[in-house]
Structures are given as structure tokens and as C-alpha cells.
Amino acid sequence: MSIDIQQIKHRFGIIGNSPLLEHALRTAVQVASTDMSVLVIGESGVGKENFPRIIHQSSARKHGPYVPVNCGAIPEGTIDSELFGHLKGSFTGAINDRKGYFQEASGGTIFLDEVGELPLSTQARLLRVLETGEFIPVGASQAQKTDVRIVAATNVNLQEAVARGRFREDLLFRLNTVPIEIPPLRARPEDIPLLFRFFASKSADQYHMPPLKLTPEAAELLQGYRWPGNIRELRNLTDRMSVLEEERLLTAEVVSGYLPRPVSEDYHPALRPMESREQQSFANEREILYQVLFDMRQDMAELRKLVSGIMQGDIPVGHHPAKGPADYADLRGGYTAGGLRPPTSEGAVSLLTHPTGSFGREEPLVALPHDFPAEEHVQEYIVEEPLSLEENERRMIADALHRHKGRRRLAAQELKISERTLYRKIKQYALDEQH
């Protein structure tokens, strides 16, 4: 079968002449005429979403529906309903019957992006669709048929996911009938100047200005960069330079000012091993509560040191408006400029405050009267206002969102939980009304 790769690239807006890219395109067109399931593999930002469209439009199903689904963006509690539909009354809020994506895509193609994020229970349902073409809507007892071609994509290493029990091996075998690996941008450096000119031209049209151009040295600098964000990162960089730079000819010195610091050679942002993902996120929800308790324990230990220092005369009694861990550290070291204020002459009691660790607020914790007792009785003067674990968790999440101005991805990274868990917690504690 003769395949005109240039025509495919022109039709779908694919830029580049890399042999690795053209091999992936040729494989996509060759498999399109079959109904085999396809697994598109590649790092984030390489353009994996183009290949399911190429497969669909080059197949006999091109007149049927094409349904893309981002599996990582659907909450775990509703993903079965979204994919397979549900019956009225099958769960709270199910006021009507609803068709799922597999029913909507019957006769066409369904694209399951980020398939590695599917829960294990949903993976079992998906395996049944692949093997028998049947699925059972949520709340139903009768199986329904669907005639759909499945194309999946992932940026995680599914082999490692299988080894860690996060992905079903039998499902991987079924999805991976024909794998198509999309090369990262750093593996096709000859395409970087072409992509830059394409994006610069689009930016020029959008912002009504002459397009940017690169000196040979600047082009070489871009070709030597690792591009962890791949094509998406190059597009954003080009747009930024188009707006900020007055000179339309970019030198290597100018371009280097826009590139981040070099990263280590073993840096691999996508197709990431499951181990690194687990190091960045909690294995389950209980660990966020463990973190809250650990922070509280540290705060109380620091408070005891502070009170002990006051009793021994190392720290003057007064009110210290501690703002954070650094100020709190000053308390342990003694009196510092701008630190502890001496008590007022008429005040019978001075309030001592400490930073509340995860919550970032001042709270009066210790009352120190003039006739303060001996050190062995100091615990009697610690005033604790017990909070439930849920309230501590709510405060921890609210403060993280506040620090990052509502940007959930950054808040989730700080809390070391997944964005999906953070999204569910925001709904649970009604924090979306505040952010």
C-alpha cells in the first residue's frame, strides 16, 4: 500500500521530517484499515492526540463518531458512569438514564487519553469491552453491545505499572496490539527550526507583528536543549519571545535568557516510572492525615522548648508575632531584633504565640501570669484547642491553595497528593467557593 506521508502531514498539520516521526505516521496509516486496538506511547507534549485522529480519519469508520476521553481528568467516583453510562436511580444524583462514551462512540472510534490513570475496577470493565464488545452500565443487570475501535495513549511506563500492581497485565496486552511510539522533541533536533518558524508565523499573524527569526547560533542552541515539555514547551517559548522581544532577529544570547537551567541527563519528565510518581504523591488518603499529625507534633515539641527557655531565663517573656519557621527559630536562639517584645507594665498576662506549621496563622497557646509556676507544672498552662483531623486537613488544603493563589496543581505538589485527590477534597470541604 502506497502511503503519501507528506499529504498526511499537510492534512493534519504535522510539522517535521524526522525519520522517527515519519515511521510513527506510516504505522498509524497502515493500522487504520484494521480494527486493531492501538496504544500511542509518548511523553507529555509530543502531540499524541494527533495520531488517534489520523487513525480514525484513515479508517472505514471515518464517517462514524470520534470521541476523545481524558481518563486522568475524570474523578474516580464517576469514571464508570462517564465511560459506560448509568440508569436512573443507580446512585445519588442519577435522575435520568445516561449514555456513556462507549455507547456514544459505537460505530466509530474512542480515544482514551492517559489510560494509565484508570482505576483497577474500571480497567476490568474496559478489558471486557475489548474482549467481547460488551459493557454493563452502572446500576444495570443486562450487558449492552458496542461496536467501537479503541485507541489509547499514555505517558507513563505501563510495564512498570503492571509490575507495581497499578495496571492489569491482560489489559496491557489487549491495548498494545499495535504500539506507536511518538519521539520526543530532543530526539528530532532537525525539526526544531521548522517548528519554531511555524509557531513564530502563527504568533505574528495573531499579534500583528513581523515573525521572529533565528541566527544560526540561536537555532543550534534550541537544538541542543532537552525540551522536557516537548512541542508544547517550544510553542509557549516562541509565543513569549514574539511578544516580549522588540528585535525580530534572535541571537543565541537572547534565546539563552529564555531557556531554563540545564537539567541532568537522567531527567525524564514523562514515560515516568511508577516509583517516582508514588514518591511525589501519597499512596492513599490516610497519609495526608498522618502529615497533619506529624506537623502538630513538631509544633508542640517546639512550643515545649520555647516555654522551657522562658523558665530558664534564656528567653524574655513577651509576645512574639511569629510569622513562620524562620522567626520561630529565632525564638529558640534567644532575643533578636524585632523578636520578643518585653511585657507591658500593666499587663498581668502575656500571650505567647507560635506559627501553626501547616496552617500559617498565629494562635495564642500559652498564658504566662506574673506568678508563673515552676517548670514542672508548665504543662498545666498549655491551652490546647483540639481540632478534628478533618478540620486540620481542611485548613492544610485551604492554606496551600491560598499560598499558590488557587493554582491546584502547585497546591497538590506541595501537599504531595494527586490533583484528583485534591479536587475531591476541595469539593468535600466546599473550598471551591473560596477559590
Side-chain angles (χ1 to χ4, degrees):
M1 178 179 60
S2 176
I3 300 174
D4 190 341
I5 295 298
Q6 295 303 321
Q7 183 181 2
I8 294 294
K9 288 193 287 188
H10 178 75
R11 180 180 177 187
F12 293 95
I14 307 294
I15 307 296
N17 299 313
S18 164
L20 294 175
L21 176 65
E22 293 191 350
H23 174 73
L25 291 170
R26 187 173 289 106
T27 303
V29 176
Q30 286 177 325
V31 77
S33 59
T34 73
D35 267 346
M36 292 181 180
S37 56
V38 178
L39 181 62
V40 182
I41 306 168
E43 298 179 7
S44 178
V46 296
K48 296 188 297 294
E49 65 280 357
N50 291 319
F51 285 79
R53 292 186 179 277
I54 293 173
I55 293 171
H56 176 71
Q57 292 296 329
S58 303
S59 71
R61 296 175 176 266
K62 61 183 177 181
H63 299 297
Y66 173 77
V67 179
V69 181
N70 187 338
C71 300
I74 304 175
E76 185 173 338
T78 62
I79 193 164
D80 284 352
S81 172
E82 294 288 325
L83 290 177
F84 308 109
H86 63 254
L87 298 186
K88 177 180 178 181
S90 56
F91 55 86
T92 303
I95 58 176
N96 293 301
D97 291 353
R98 182 189 181 279
K99 290 182 178 181
Y101 293 130
F102 273 95
Q103 192 171 355
E104 296 284 356
S106 188
T109 305
I110 187 168
F111 169 41
L112 301 178
D113 197 10
E114 296 187 35
V115 71
E117 303 294 333
L118 286 176
L120 286 171
S121 59
T122 307
Q123 292 177 29
R125 287 173 173 258
L126 177 58
L127 180 62
R128 179 173 181 175
V129 175
L130 283 164
E131 290 180 338
T132 67
E134 295 181 344
F135 65 93
I136 301 178
V138 177
S141 58
Q142 296 293 325
Q144 295 186 16
K145 280 281 190 179
T146 184
D147 174 24
V148 65
R149 202 261 184 82
I150 297 176
V151 180
T154 183
N155 65 353
V156 302
N157 191 321
L158 292 184
Q159 291 287 358
E160 291 194 19
V162 168
R164 294 182 175 276
R166 298 284 299 275
F167 201 83
R168 295 179 61 109
E169 186 175 29
D170 47 4
L171 177 58
L172 176 58
F173 290 149
R174 295 290 302 190
L175 288 174
N176 202 25
T177 305
V178 179
I180 299 178
E181 185 169 357
I182 315 303
L185 189 55
R186 61 181 171 274
R188 37 186 289 220
E190 66 272 27
D191 291 340
I192 292 176
L194 297 176
L195 288 163
F196 180 88
R197 285 200 296 270
F198 175 74
F199 293 142
S201 176
K202 294 193 71 172
S203 295
D205 292 341
Q206 182 177 357
Y207 302 117
H208 309 291
M209 58 180 67
L212 292 176
K213 294 183 179 180
L214 296 170
T215 64
E217 296 77 14
E220 185 177 351
L221 182 62
L222 290 181
Q223 288 176 301
Y225 178 58
R226 287 188 60 80
W227 299 107
N230 292 292
I231 297 173
R232 186 181 297 122
E233 184 182 5
L234 177 59
R235 171 67 186 271
N236 292 341
L237 180 70
T238 307
D239 286 345
R240 185 159 65 250
M241 291 191 294
S242 293
V243 172
L244 298 181
E245 289 300 320
E246 295 182 1
E247 293 293 332
R248 297 287 92 185
L249 181 63
L250 300 181
T251 64
E253 182 180 2
V254 172
V255 171
S256 66
Y258 286 89
L259 295 177
R261 294 179 180 179
V263 294
S264 61
E265 288 297 317
D266 59 352
Y267 177 71
H268 209 277
L271 287 178
R272 55 196 184 281
M274 299 301 295
E275 181 177 1
S276 65
R277 292 180 63 217
E278 290 170 356
Q279 289 173 350
Q280 296 172 3
S281 62
F282 287 110
N284 54 59
E285 297 173 21
R286 288 176 296 179
E287 297 205 18
I288 190 172
L289 301 180
Y290 297 157
Q291 183 67 36
V292 172
L293 291 173
F294 180 76
D295 289 342
M296 293 173 64
R297 180 180 178 182
Q298 283 187 315
D299 290 339
M300 292 306 299
E302 297 297 340
L303 178 61
R304 291 190 183 98
K305 289 182 182 179
L306 177 61
V307 174
S308 177
I310 293 174
M311 291 301 303
Q312 295 172 8
D314 296 332
I315 301 176
V317 177
H319 177 79
H320 183 278
K323 301 296 184 184
D327 296 324
Y328 202 23
D330 291 340
L331 292 177
R332 298 193 299 272
Y335 184 85
T336 59
L340 289 166
R341 295 200 299 266
T344 58
S345 58
E346 69 275 13
V349 174
S350 297
L351 289 180
L352 186 66
T353 65
H354 87 116
T356 56
S358 304
F359 313 131
R361 301 194 321 278
E362 298 176 18
E363 292 186 359
L365 289 181
V366 181
L368 300 178
H370 292 312
D371 55 345
F372 197 75
E375 182 177 356
E376 59 268 20
H377 301 298
V378 72
Q379 290 298 327
E380 298 175 8
Y381 283 81
I382 296 180
V383 181
E384 298 186 20
E385 182 182 352
L387 295 174
S388 67
L389 291 180
E390 287 190 356
E391 179 60 22
N392 281 328
E393 183 183 59
R394 183 185 185 280
R395 290 188 182 186
M396 191 176 184
I397 293 173
D399 284 347
L401 289 169
H402 177 73
R403 280 191 294 274
H404 295 289
K405 298 180 174 61
R407 288 176 289 187
R408 297 178 179 180
R409 180 177 61 83
L410 297 178
Q413 290 175 353
E414 177 185 328
L415 294 169
K416 297 183 180 178
I417 59 177
S418 67
E419 287 187 59
R420 178 182 294 175
T421 298
L422 177 60
Y423 176 84
R424 181 156 44 80
K425 291 295 181 182
I426 289 173
K427 290 293 186 182
Q428 177 181 342
Y429 296 127
L431 293 175
D432 52 343
E433 299 175 1
Q434 305 173 24
H435 298 275

